[in-house]
Amino acid sequence: MKSSVKTYLGAAAFAGILLCSTAAHAQSDDDKKFLATAAQSDVNEIKLSQLAEEKASNPDVKTFAEKMVVEHKKLSASMKPFAEEWGLTAPTDLDDDHKQEYEKLNGLSGADFDKEYIDAMVSDHAKALRLFTTEAKDTKDTKFRAAVLKAKTVVAAHKNMAYDLKKKL
């Protein structure tokens, strides 16, 4: 009888370990997906903002673009240890939607460029903020959550800066 109880407890413990590791693995897949999306977003913001550094006519838009380049490079660097640990390769180019946006922006100048760029920044940062908010709530990885929450604060500030700038244009 004692032997069957030990066998049962051992099997139950093993099943519990399997369930926990499966749940952690599933969460890790969600974390990886988020991180890949966030990394792509950083590349998109950096490349569009580098174009704005060259083409913006409004000094406030140019200053905003410079800030986006610097801060999105910092955000990428803050997430790099997780990407390396999880075996993810960082994107190096714009995604298809942002390639189209880049071409559209590249064909504009003056106030038209400034307005389109800032509209894109408001939209992109609003989407990113929703993603960061969801990830901060859902991830089970405490170290990753701390990094996501820190980055979420930066993304929220960017969204607010872009929105305030949009009202002035």
Side-chain angles (χ1 to χ4, degrees), residues 127-146:
K127 287 176 195 171
L129 185 57
R130 285 191 297 274
L131 288 171
F132 275 83
T133 300
T134 300
E135 181 65 13
K137 181 178 56 97
D138 291 347
T139 186
K140 305 295 186 241
D141 185 323
T142 55
K143 283 174 133 179
F144 189 56
R145 178 181 293 117

Side-chain angles (χ1 to χ4, degrees), residues 42-151:
D42 281 337
V43 169
N44 295 339
E45 302 314 319
I46 291 166
K47 296 222 182 244
L48 292 180
S49 295
Q50 286 171 331
L51 180 64
E53 285 178 316
E54 296 172 21
K55 293 195 70 161
S57 61
N58 182 309
D60 292 338
V61 172
K62 197 173 282 265
T63 299
F64 175 81
E66 291 166 356
K67 186 175 188 74
M68 292 305 97
V69 171
V70 169
E71 293 194 359
H72 278 280
K73 284 181 178 181
K74 286 181 184 175
L75 285 173
S76 290
S78 74
M79 296 294 177
K80 187 175 181 179
F82 297 101
E84 288 174 347
E85 182 181 333
W86 298 343
L88 299 176
T89 303
T92 57
D93 200 8
L94 296 163
D95 62 26
D96 290 341
D97 289 342
H98 287 87
K99 283 179 184 175
Q100 289 178 356
E101 182 65 29
Y102 187 96
E103 290 306 316
K104 182 178 182 180
L105 283 167
N106 206 25
L108 299 173
S109 61
D112 291 337
F113 175 91
D114 295 346
K115 184 180 178 330
E116 181 65 29
Y117 167 70
I118 292 300
D119 284 349
M121 292 299 101
V122 169
S123 175
D124 286 353
H125 285 93
K127 287 176 195 171
L129 185 57
R130 285 191 297 274
L131 288 171
F132 275 83
T133 300
T134 300
E135 181 65 13
K137 181 178 56 97
D138 291 347
T139 186
K140 305 295 186 241
D141 185 323
T142 55
K143 283 174 133 179
F144 189 56
R145 178 181 293 117
V148 169
L149 286 169
K150 186 174 180 182

Side-chain angles (χ1 to χ4, degrees), residues 150-167:
K150 186 174 180 182
K152 177 186 164 195
T153 303
V154 174
V155 171
H158 291 175
K159 181 186 130 308
N160 292 337
M161 285 186 283
Y163 183 75
D164 290 345
L165 197 49
K166 180 179 176 168
K167 291 189 291 186

Side-chain angles (χ1 to χ4, degrees), residues 7-54:
T7 302
Y8 173 77
L9 289 175
F14 182 71
I17 290 168
L18 281 177
L19 286 174
C20 288
S21 70
T22 301
H25 181 67
Q27 185 61 43
S28 179
D29 287 346
D30 289 342
D31 291 346
K32 285 179 182 180
K33 183 178 176 184
F34 164 80
L35 188 55
T37 301
Q40 183 63 62
S41 179
D42 281 337
V43 169
N44 295 339
E45 302 314 319
I46 291 166
K47 296 222 182 244
L48 292 180
S49 295
Q50 286 171 331
L51 180 64
E53 285 178 316
E54 296 172 21

